Amino acid sequence: MTVSPQKNLPQFLITHPTDLSKLLVGYSCLLREFNLSSFNYKEIVAQTFKQDKRNFGLLVCACYSNSGDQVAIVNNLKELLVYSISNMDLVLNLFFALLFRVLPRSGVKVCFSKDNKSILVADKAGHVINYCIEKTEITQKILVDTLSTITDMYLSVSNYLAVCDREGRIRVSFFPNAYHILSYCIGHEGAVTCLSFTSSGLRLFSGSNDGTVKLWDPTNGKELFSLEPFSTVHKHKVCDLQCSASQHVCVCYEGLSVAEVYKYSLTTEGLETLLHVQSINTNSEVLQTVFDVENTLYILERCPPYITSYQFLEGFFSESSSEYLATDCYLSDLQ
């Protein structure tokens, strides 16, 4: 998910791949890694760049490595930066830059390969570039070259690389041999805005400006199920969707103060479907949702409390009143 330039407000969330106590929160010009046990945080980017006196641009996207010890960042200055957490200074816990690269085009999404040896960056010009960081000399290679603006990219655990664009197309290939296209998933009537694979990596969900969520077989591009929006969200574009390890799918719509939760399952006839679990109403517009590895749901909304967590208990997601993050007490020093 990309960010909007609202100064000093939370822009996006990233859960840690292995540590349940950590949540990465992206602001307009810095990242903070919160410890959910102590409610302390470590600041990334701002401390490091204050030291070397560089002006850091607005964050566009970021991601953890799969081992959780590195963070990759793309900003609006067409820069790719990779940081490693250093435990040498136990007081400041600074993040030190391992890699700096100027991108040929403005980036929209970044992710690590599953072996953490490569970083993939999707850009607005329709390219996905693979930066190999395994060796001392960094190499780069274009994996995907399309004619339309890429809106999202997702690399599954099974190494299916899916990219979507403004023309309503989803291109699926196999990483790292992305020149071999497995399928095109065609069926949305508007731009595809977001992608998410199931935990197995064998099924792909997509959301679109047409308000629908579709389920695909990425190996052949077959549409398996289409979720039509409720009348209350009709014609609102899907701005974000996430699939958890327990096969829950959370969908949020542009301009609406609700997150819809579904369960991916099989019908008695063996057909794949999404069953509605609950609607989670919020105080303001939902911007993003994320799951951690144990199915805790975090919702980012436009106004306070900004970030709220929900535990899955007895078949439903219930608000955890003790875990509010990025409220005014955390934002006061950013003013």
Side-chain angles (χ1 to χ4, degrees), residues 176-190:
N177 302 318
Y179 56 84
H180 176 60
I181 300 175
L182 292 176
S183 67
Y184 282 100
C185 302
I186 306 296
H188 284 294
E189 296 179 358

Side-chain angles (χ1 to χ4, degrees), residues 1-2 4 191 193-194 207-213 229 232-241 251-260 282 284-289 300 302:
M1 178 180 179
T2 57
S4 58
T193 54
C194 45
S208 170
N209 279 352
D210 62 15
T212 63
V213 173
T232 55
V233 295
H234 185 59
K235 295 184 179 179
H236 287 264
K237 77 173 184 179
V238 178
C239 61
D240 185 60
L241 66 87
V251 183
C252 55
Y253 298 86
E254 186 178 69
L256 297 180
S257 304
V258 63
E260 302 290 352
T282 58
S284 58
E285 178 186 0
V286 176
L287 302 178
Q288 185 196 5
T289 62
L300 172 65
R302 189 171 297 280

Side-chain angles (χ1 to χ4, degrees), residues 58-125:
L58 297 176
L59 296 185
V60 174
C61 54
C63 68
Y64 274 116
S65 64
N66 293 284
S67 57
D69 59 351
Q70 296 180 2
V71 176
I73 299 168
V74 171
N75 64 20
N76 68 339
L77 301 180
K78 301 180 183 178
E79 294 175 337
L80 167 65
L81 304 106
V82 181
Y83 289 86
S84 178
I85 303 172
S86 171
N87 293 320
M88 293 184 294
D89 188 336
L90 298 179
V91 177
L92 296 179
N93 282 311
L94 296 181
F95 288 62
F96 291 95
L98 293 177
L99 170 68
F100 170 78
R101 282 290 183 275
V102 177
L103 303 174
R105 298 290 188 272
S106 298
V108 296
K109 191 67 177 288
V110 60
C111 71
F112 282 84
S113 62
K114 300 311 170 185
D115 58 9
N116 296 317
K117 295 180 180 179
S118 296
I119 297 174
L120 282 64
V121 179
D123 65 35
K124 290 183 178 180

Side-chain angles (χ1 to χ4, degrees), residues 66-318:
N66 293 284
S67 57
D69 59 351
Q70 296 180 2
V71 176
I73 299 168
V74 171
N75 64 20
N76 68 339
L77 301 180
K78 301 180 183 178
E79 294 175 337
L80 167 65
L81 304 106
V82 181
Y83 289 86
S84 178
I85 303 172
S86 171
N87 293 320
M88 293 184 294
D89 188 336
L90 298 179
V91 177
L92 296 179
N93 282 311
L94 296 181
F95 288 62
F96 291 95
L98 293 177
L99 170 68
F100 170 78
R101 282 290 183 275
V102 177
L103 303 174
R105 298 290 188 272
S106 298
V108 296
K109 191 67 177 288
V110 60
C111 71
F112 282 84
S113 62
K114 300 311 170 185
D115 58 9
N116 296 317
K117 295 180 180 179
S118 296
I119 297 174
L120 282 64
V121 179
D123 65 35
K124 290 183 178 180
H127 305 127
V128 174
I129 302 177
N130 178 25
Y131 293 88
C132 181
I133 58 175
E134 180 181 10
K135 300 178 181 179
T136 304
E137 182 179 352
I138 308 300
T139 60
Q140 64 185 65
K141 177 183 178 181
I142 295 179
L143 297 180
V144 176
D145 186 2
T146 69
L147 299 177
S148 181
T149 299
I150 293 177
T151 52
D152 199 7
M153 171 183 69
Y154 203 113
L155 181 64
S156 76
V157 295
S158 50
N159 274 336
Y160 291 134
L161 176 62
V163 295
C164 56
D165 60 33
R166 289 183 178 178
E167 304 302 320
R169 295 174 301 220
I170 304 170
R171 178 189 191 273
V172 182
S173 55
F174 193 79
F175 178 81
N177 302 318
Y179 56 84
H180 176 60
I181 300 175
L182 292 176
S183 67
Y184 282 100
C185 302
I186 306 296
H188 284 294
E189 296 179 358
V192 182
T193 54
C194 45
L195 301 170
S196 185
F197 277 94
T198 58
S199 56
S200 67
L202 300 179
R203 291 293 183 264
L204 173 65
F205 289 99
S206 62
S208 170
N209 279 352
D210 62 15
T212 63
V213 173
K214 293 184 182 294
L215 172 64
W216 310 90
D217 181 343
T219 62
N220 56 26
K222 181 180 179 181
E223 181 181 321
L224 303 174
F225 180 78
S226 181
L227 176 69
E228 298 299 324
F230 292 141
S231 59
T232 55
V233 295
H234 185 59
K235 295 184 179 179
H236 287 264
K237 77 173 184 179
V238 178
C239 61
D240 185 60
L241 66 87
Q242 297 290 328
C243 188
S244 74
S246 63
Q247 310 294 10
H248 285 96
V249 179
C250 192
V251 183
C252 55
Y253 298 86
E254 186 178 69
L256 297 180
S257 304
V258 63
E260 302 290 352
V261 182
Y262 301 88
K263 178 76 172 181
Y264 166 61
S265 59
L266 296 177
T267 66
T268 55
E269 294 81 14
L271 300 176
E272 297 173 66
T273 187
L274 283 177
L275 301 176
H276 188 255
V277 175
Q278 71 185 104
S279 300
I280 301 177
N281 294 304
T282 58
N283 294 327
S284 58
E285 178 186 0
V286 176
L287 302 178
Q288 185 196 5
T289 62
V290 291
F291 291 96
D292 69 12
V293 292
E294 288 199 352
N295 211 33
T296 298
L297 172 64
Y298 294 91
I299 295 181
L300 172 65
E301 53 184 299
R302 189 171 297 280
C303 300
Y306 298 113
I307 305 168
T308 310
S309 66
Y310 295 81
Q311 301 289 335
F312 187 67
L313 300 169
E314 300 180 351
F316 294 94
F317 288 90
S318 301

